[in-house]
Amino acid sequence: MSITVVADTHADGGDLTHQDAGDALTPRQAAAAIFSSRLSELIAESVVSTEDGSTRSLTLYSLAQHLELAYPDVPVSQSGLYRLIHGDAIPRLDLVIALARVFDVPPEYFVTEEKKR
Protein backbone atom coordinates (compact mmCIF):
# COMPACT_ATOMS: atom_id res chain seq x y z
CA MET A 1 0.00 0.00 0.00
CA SER A 2 1.27 3.48 -0.73
CA ILE A 3 -0.10 6.74 0.63
CA THR A 4 -0.03 9.89 -1.45
CA VAL A 5 -0.71 13.36 -0.07
CA VAL A 6 -2.28 15.77 -2.52
CA ALA A 7 -1.71 19.45 -1.78
CA ASP A 8 -4.82 21.34 -0.78
CA THR A 9 -5.03 24.51 -2.86
CA HIS A 10 -7.91 25.87 -0.79
CA ALA A 11 -6.20 25.82 2.59
CA ASP A 12 -7.77 28.01 5.23
CA GLY A 13 -5.82 30.16 7.62
CA GLY A 14 -5.72 27.41 10.21
CA ASP A 15 -7.52 29.45 12.88
CA LEU A 16 -7.95 27.17 15.86
CA THR A 17 -9.62 29.58 18.28
CA HIS A 18 -13.15 28.22 18.10
CA GLN A 19 -14.12 29.32 21.57
CA ASP A 20 -15.12 32.75 22.82
CA ALA A 21 -12.32 35.05 23.94
CA GLY A 22 -13.29 34.43 27.58
CA ASP A 23 -12.97 30.64 27.14
CA ALA A 24 -9.25 30.34 26.43
CA LEU A 25 -8.04 26.86 25.59
CA THR A 26 -5.80 25.12 28.08
CA PRO A 27 -2.37 24.15 26.69
CA ARG A 28 -3.57 20.52 26.47
CA GLN A 29 -6.72 21.52 24.59
CA ALA A 30 -4.73 23.77 22.25
CA ALA A 31 -2.24 20.98 21.52
CA ALA A 32 -5.04 18.49 20.84
CA ALA A 33 -6.85 20.99 18.58
CA ILE A 34 -3.74 21.79 16.53
CA PHE A 35 -2.75 18.13 16.15
CA SER A 36 -6.32 17.09 15.32
CA SER A 37 -6.64 19.77 12.67
CA ARG A 38 -3.32 18.93 11.02
CA LEU A 39 -3.89 15.17 10.99
CA SER A 40 -7.45 15.57 9.71
CA GLU A 41 -6.24 17.76 6.83
CA LEU A 42 -3.54 15.28 5.83
CA ILE A 43 -5.93 12.34 5.90
CA ALA A 44 -8.54 14.24 3.87
CA GLU A 45 -5.92 15.12 1.23
CA SER A 46 -4.51 11.59 0.99
CA VAL A 47 -5.30 8.72 -1.31
CA VAL A 48 -4.26 5.08 -1.12
CA SER A 49 -3.04 3.13 -4.13
CA THR A 50 -4.38 -0.40 -4.11
CA GLU A 51 -2.77 -3.51 -5.59
CA ASP A 52 -4.97 -3.35 -8.69
CA GLY A 53 -3.77 0.20 -9.43
CA SER A 54 -6.91 2.04 -8.37
CA THR A 55 -6.96 4.72 -5.70
CA ARG A 56 -9.29 5.44 -2.81
CA SER A 57 -9.52 7.79 0.14
CA LEU A 58 -7.32 7.09 3.13
CA THR A 59 -9.24 5.64 6.08
CA LEU A 60 -8.20 5.45 9.72
CA TYR A 61 -8.18 1.67 9.38
CA SER A 62 -5.76 1.70 6.43
CA LEU A 63 -3.58 4.33 8.12
CA ALA A 64 -3.41 2.23 11.30
CA GLN A 65 -2.52 -0.87 9.25
CA HIS A 66 0.20 1.02 7.37
CA LEU A 67 1.68 2.38 10.60
CA GLU A 68 1.67 -1.08 12.20
CA LEU A 69 3.57 -2.51 9.22
CA ALA A 70 6.00 0.36 8.74
CA TYR A 71 6.63 1.07 12.44
CA PRO A 72 5.89 -2.08 14.46
CA ASP A 73 7.48 -0.62 17.59
CA VAL A 74 4.98 2.30 17.61
CA PRO A 75 1.69 1.16 19.17
CA VAL A 76 -1.28 2.50 17.21
CA SER A 77 -4.89 1.49 16.57
CA GLN A 78 -7.82 2.69 14.54
CA SER A 79 -9.62 3.77 17.72
CA GLY A 80 -6.49 5.58 18.93
CA LEU A 81 -6.30 7.50 15.65
CA TYR A 82 -10.02 8.30 15.98
CA ARG A 83 -9.41 9.80 19.42
CA LEU A 84 -6.54 11.89 18.02
CA ILE A 85 -8.65 13.14 15.09
CA HIS A 86 -11.40 14.25 17.46
CA GLY A 87 -9.04 15.96 19.90
CA ASP A 88 -9.74 13.48 22.68
CA ALA A 89 -6.11 12.41 23.05
CA ILE A 90 -2.59 13.78 22.85
CA PRO A 91 -0.19 11.74 20.69
CA ARG A 92 3.07 10.26 21.90
CA LEU A 93 6.24 11.64 20.34
CA ASP A 94 7.05 8.35 18.57
CA LEU A 95 3.65 8.43 16.86
CA VAL A 96 4.12 12.07 15.81
CA ILE A 97 7.44 11.13 14.21
CA ALA A 98 5.95 8.06 12.48
CA LEU A 99 3.02 10.09 11.12
CA ALA A 100 5.39 12.83 9.93
CA ARG A 101 7.38 10.22 8.00
CA VAL A 102 4.26 8.65 6.49
CA PHE A 103 2.89 12.00 5.32
CA ASP A 104 6.31 13.45 4.44
CA VAL A 105 5.96 16.52 6.66
CA PRO A 106 8.25 17.72 9.44
CA PRO A 107 7.15 16.59 12.92
CA GLU A 108 6.64 20.22 13.96
CA TYR A 109 3.85 20.46 11.37
CA PHE A 110 1.63 18.68 13.90
CA VAL A 111 2.38 21.00 16.80
CA THR A 112 2.52 24.51 15.35
CA GLU A 113 -0.38 26.66 14.27
CA GLU A 114 1.56 28.03 11.32
CA LYS A 115 1.43 25.71 8.31
CA LYS A 116 4.86 24.75 7.00
CA ARG A 117 5.20 21.86 4.57
Side-chain angles (χ1 to χ4, degrees):
M1 168 175 49
S2 68
I3 298 174
T4 306
V5 178
V6 181
D8 182 8
T9 57
H10 303 292
D12 62 6
D15 182 22
L16 298 171
T17 53
H18 296 120
Q19 297 183 350
D20 296 332
D23 295 338
L25 295 175
T26 66
R28 182 177 177 83
Q29 290 170 325
I34 292 168
F35 185 85
S36 170
S37 173
R38 297 291 184 262
L39 183 57
S40 295
E41 290 170 5
L42 289 172
I43 289 172
E45 296 170 359
S46 300
V47 293
V48 176
S49 298
T50 60
E51 291 178 8
D52 65 1
S54 62
T55 59
R56 60 180 170 79
S57 297
L58 179 65
T59 64
L60 293 180
Y61 177 74
S62 59
L63 178 57
Q65 280 187 317
H66 181 73
L67 286 166
E68 287 174 3
L69 291 172
Y71 304 99
D73 59 329
V74 178
V76 65
S77 67
Q78 180 181 357
S79 61
L81 290 173
Y82 179 89
R83 292 183 63 227
L84 292 170
I85 291 280
H86 289 87
D88 297 332
I90 302 293
R92 295 173 322 279
L93 184 55
D94 58 347
L95 181 57
V96 171
I97 292 169
L99 287 166
R101 289 177 179 169
V102 166
F103 289 110
D104 195 27
V105 296
E108 56 270 11
Y109 175 81
F110 291 106
V111 296
T112 59
E113 287 191 69
E114 186 177 315
K115 292 185 181 182
K116 293 179 185 176
R117 280 207 208 175

